[in-house]
Amino acid sequence: MKKKKHPNKTFWKRMRFKYKLSFYNESTLEEVWSFRLSRLSVFIYICMFAFILIALTSVIIIMTPIRNYLPGYLDVEVRKEILLNSLRADSLEEKIQSQARYLENLTGILTGNINPEELQSPDSVSFVIADYNIPRGENESAFVNRFEEEEKYNLTALNPSTPQTDLFFYKPINGVISSPFNPEKQHFGVDLTSAPKNNVLSVLDGTVVYAGFDPRFGNVIVVQHSDDFLTFYKHNDILLKAAGDHVVAGEAIAIAGNTGELSTGPHLHFELWHKGMPVNPEEYIAF
């Protein structure tokens, strides 16, 4: 009784079995060229060709301007360029207006229509700094003295709640504020309800200083920005960045979710801190 061959051995034998491919001269029937191939070698050659084709296509896309036509590639760069161009246009318009006022003043002085002593600034027509030192009444003076006495030891008066800055803040997520900033209730940020799996964006350029899991706040990512600003993004589903990564304004850093014990539904808890003090994000960002 013959032994039945194992299916695997039969399969590999068929895959490694070589076939001869020959080319003949049609007139003389002389063999011109021939080579041997197996199914396994054909499969390997096809895989190698596909890999080389994919690698070559990737190199062409990365190294040439074709990458600019990929969806979403230039979103962040274009938005930053638009913002910079807008700032340059505003500065240029202000300079042009200042120069126009200067020429008008100079023309008025040369023609004798404007007295140079009346000018307070070379780029303004003519203005006088008004004196608003209105005398105080008795009730007002008493109120001011009482208020100054009460606030004399108030350290919070030394730190303005809204520091002045020229930075442009992106919205961290497209959503609606469900819980506002309320430091009296230990709520140092705003809660933004949004559709699940929405991208969470960095509001400014910066560096990720923390990215990890907290039992109360779920997946948390913290980004350090310029001008002593620090932002917290809590209750995320997935973190897209790690500590030490550099991010640009408007770049996706996480996926919104519903993680952590304090989360009651899909949302983003966003906090904005300045010099170690929490500030109201609504004073910087139009949600």
Side-chain angles (χ1 to χ4, degrees):
M1 182 177 180
K2 295 182 178 180
K3 293 183 179 180
K4 189 175 181 180
K5 294 183 178 180
H6 196 277
N8 290 337
K9 293 183 179 180
T10 305
F11 172 76
W12 284 110
K13 184 177 181 181
R14 290 200 306 266
M15 291 294 292
R16 298 178 64 181
F17 184 81
K18 293 185 177 181
Y19 297 87
K20 182 179 181 182
L21 180 62
S22 302
F23 295 87
Y24 292 89
N25 190 322
E26 185 178 0
S27 301
T28 62
L29 298 180
E30 180 182 0
E31 183 177 1
V32 179
W33 184 48
S34 66
F35 60 91
R36 297 177 179 274
L37 286 174
S38 64
R39 296 179 182 179
L40 181 60
S41 60
V42 170
F43 175 76
I44 293 174
Y45 291 148
I46 292 175
C47 292
M48 290 177 62
F49 175 77
F51 176 78
I52 293 174
L53 183 61
I54 294 173
L56 183 61
T57 304
S58 301
V59 170
I60 292 175
I61 292 176
I62 294 173
M63 303 300 294
T64 63
I66 296 178
R67 66 182 184 274
N68 297 333
Y69 296 96
L70 296 178
Y73 181 82
L74 288 181
D75 286 351
V76 176
E77 287 78 3
V78 169
R79 282 184 288 181
K80 289 185 65 176
E81 191 65 28
I82 290 174
L83 176 61
L84 292 176
N85 289 337
S86 176
L87 294 175
R88 294 191 190 104
D90 291 340
S91 300
L92 182 60
E93 183 179 2
E94 184 179 352
K95 292 294 184 182
I96 293 174
Q97 292 176 356
S98 177
Q99 187 69 19
R101 289 193 296 266
Y102 177 82
L103 294 176
E104 289 177 2
N105 290 337
L106 185 59
T107 303
I109 293 172
L110 294 177
T111 58
N113 296 328
I114 298 178
N115 185 359
E117 296 180 357
E118 297 177 355
L119 293 177
Q120 302 293 328
S121 175
D123 59 353
S124 63
V125 178
S126 178
F127 67 93
V128 178
I129 300 176
D131 184 9
Y132 294 104
N133 293 325
I134 302 174
R136 294 178 180 175
E138 295 181 1
N139 294 334
E140 183 180 359
S141 298
F143 173 79
V144 170
N145 293 333
R146 185 171 64 256
F147 180 80
E148 290 178 350
E149 186 66 25
E150 293 175 354
E151 296 295 322
K152 182 165 58 177
Y153 302 106
N154 187 1
L155 298 180
T156 60
L158 301 176
N159 297 319
S161 60
T162 307
Q164 299 297 322
T165 179
D166 295 330
L167 299 175
F168 176 80
F169 291 78
Y170 280 84
K171 289 197 300 184
I173 197 172
N174 289 324
V176 179
I177 295 179
S178 59
S179 182
F181 178 77
N182 191 347
E184 288 77 10
K185 296 184 178 180
Q186 302 297 311
H187 194 258
F188 300 113
V190 294
D191 290 340
L192 298 164
T193 58
S194 179
K197 306 301 182 182
N198 265 8
N199 287 339
V200 176
L201 311 179
S202 176
V203 298
L204 294 170
D205 295 354
T207 302
V208 178
V209 295
Y210 175 79
F213 181 79
D214 183 272
R216 296 185 303 164
F217 302 110
N219 291 318
V220 179
I221 187 166
V222 184
V223 184
Q224 177 70 58
H225 310 285
S226 59
D227 291 354
D228 298 319
F229 280 102
L230 192 69
T231 52
F232 292 76
Y233 311 80
K234 301 179 179 180
H235 304 303
N236 300 292
D237 184 34
I238 301 174
L239 301 180
L240 303 179
K241 299 293 181 179
D245 290 347
H246 177 74
V247 297
V248 298
E251 182 179 1
I253 58 176
I255 303 297
N258 181 27
T259 58
E261 298 174 357
L262 300 181
S263 180
T264 57
H267 76 289
L268 170 68
H269 177 83
F270 173 74
E271 296 181 9
L272 179 64
W273 293 63
H274 182 257
K275 293 184 178 180
M277 297 290 293
V279 295
N280 189 356
E282 294 186 69
E283 296 179 357
Y284 298 88
I285 305 173
F287 291 100

